[in-house]
Amino acid sequence: MIFDEIRGNEDVKRALAGMIDSGRIPHAIMLYENDGCGAISLALGFLESLTGSQKVRKLIHPDIHFIFPVTKGSKVSTDKPTSESYLAYWRELVSGNPYFLESDLSDALGIEGKSSLIAIAEAKFIIDKLSFHSLEGGWKAVVVYLPEKMNKDTANRLLKSIEEPPEMTQFIFITHAPEKVLTTISSRCQGIRVLPLSREEVAAELVGRFGKMEDQARVAAELSGGSVGKALAYLSETEEVG
C-alpha cells in the first residue's frame, strides 16, 4: 500500500514520505481524522514504506501489532478479550474497507451496542512484544486505533515505551477525538491532521474501489462530509430501503 495508491491527503503523504527519506522519524505519530476518512491506509502506507515489506498491506507482518478498543462479545469465548482475541476480524474488516466507521468495527467484532476500551492488558501485550528482537530483522511497530478509549492505567503503563522506545520501534495512533486522548500520550506524539476527502475524491473511491454506480456515488459523496465510510453507510441504508 504505497502512498501513490492512496487517494487524497497529498500533503500528509508528502510529510510521511519525507520523514522516511530524511531519516527523521518521530518515535510516535498521531493521525487525527474524522470517522471513516481512511487514516488506517496512511498508517499502513507509512509502515510499508518504512519496512519495505508488502506483508504490511496484508496485515500479516509479524513485527507490526494492532491495538483497538474491545470488550466481551459474541465472537470470542474469553471473559477478558484483547485485540489479539479479535485479530482475525480486524484483518477482515480493514482489508475489505479501510474507510470503516467506529460502528463498523463494533459490528465486525460482535460487540455492537457495548462500551469498549483499551485496557491495561493491551499495554502488557505491547511491552512484551517490543521486548523481543524483530522477527524480520528491521522495524517493529504498534498501531493504536482510537487511543481516546485508552484508560489511565494503560496510558501510564505505556508511557516509558512511548517516551523511550526500543531502537527501530514506531508507534502510530489514530484518533477521532484528539481532545479526549490522555495528555500523557498526545504530548509525546507528532500530530498530523488527516483531512476529509473532496466530494470528487469520495465519489471516485466509491466507484473505483467499491464498484458503486456513478450517479449513486455522486449523491453519497455530497452527503458524506468527506468520509468514504459515511458515504458507504448511506448507500447501504438506501439499498436496504430499496
Side-chain angles (χ1 to χ4, degrees):
M1 190 178 293
I2 58 175
F3 290 125
D4 288 346
E5 299 173 15
I6 301 171
R7 198 179 300 276
N9 276 287
E10 299 303 323
D11 289 344
V12 175
K13 290 186 287 188
R14 277 193 292 271
L16 293 172
M19 292 175 184
I20 297 172
D21 292 341
S22 68
R24 297 177 179 176
I25 303 171
H27 55 261
I29 297 170
M30 184 167 293
L31 303 176
Y32 55 105
E33 65 164 353
N34 298 351
D35 198 6
C37 287
I40 188 70
S41 291
L42 292 166
L44 295 175
F46 176 78
L47 292 174
E48 182 170 310
S49 297
L50 187 65
T51 62
S53 174
Q54 289 197 0
K55 291 180 181 179
V56 176
R57 69 174 67 193
K58 297 176 183 178
L59 306 173
I60 58 171
H61 195 294
D63 299 313
I64 296 177
H65 310 288
F66 299 94
I67 303 297
F68 42 90
V70 301
T71 190
K72 185 178 179 180
S74 60
K75 294 187 176 182
V76 298
S77 57
T78 179
D79 287 334
K80 295 182 179 180
T82 63
S83 301
E84 191 76 2
S85 309
Y86 289 104
L87 189 56
Y89 302 107
W90 165 266
R91 285 174 173 156
E92 182 178 5
L93 175 64
V94 176
S95 297
N97 176 17
Y99 299 99
F100 65 90
L101 301 174
E102 289 185 36
S103 57
D104 295 327
L105 178 60
S106 295
D107 291 345
L109 303 185
I111 59 173
E112 56 271 29
K114 295 183 177 182
S115 179
S116 58
L117 78 159
I118 298 175
I120 195 167
E122 304 284 9
K124 295 175 181 177
F125 171 82
I126 292 171
I127 292 168
D128 181 57
K129 289 294 183 182
L130 296 183
S131 68
F132 294 104
H133 291 295
S134 165
L135 294 174
E136 294 279 316
W139 283 85
K140 296 179 287 185
V142 179
V143 178
V144 182
Y145 179 73
L146 302 184
E148 57 267 36
K149 295 193 176 184
M150 182 182 295
N151 64 30
K152 190 173 181 179
D153 288 341
T154 307
N156 288 339
R157 190 70 178 266
L158 282 177
L159 192 55
K160 185 175 181 180
S161 294
I162 297 171
E163 284 185 322
E164 302 175 9
E167 187 177 0
M168 296 183 72
T169 298
Q170 181 68 46
F171 282 88
I172 300 181
F173 299 87
I174 299 173
T175 177
H176 298 156
E179 73 283 357
K180 293 182 180 179
V181 179
L182 292 167
T183 305
T184 50
I185 298 297
S186 61
S187 63
R188 289 159 174 83
C189 300
Q190 179 166 328
I192 299 178
R193 172 65 167 139
V194 176
L195 295 173
L197 302 186
S198 68
R199 290 191 295 271
E200 294 75 17
E201 288 169 337
V202 172
E205 197 72 347
L206 292 174
V207 173
R209 179 187 289 267
F210 298 99
K212 303 299 182 181
M213 300 295 292
E214 289 189 6
D215 56 342
Q216 293 177 316
R218 284 195 297 270
V219 172
E222 289 287 341
L223 301 171
S224 70
S227 166
V228 176
K230 290 183 178 179
L232 288 169
Y234 166 78
L235 289 173
S236 179
E237 291 173 3
T238 57
E239 289 167 1
E240 288 178 5
V241 171

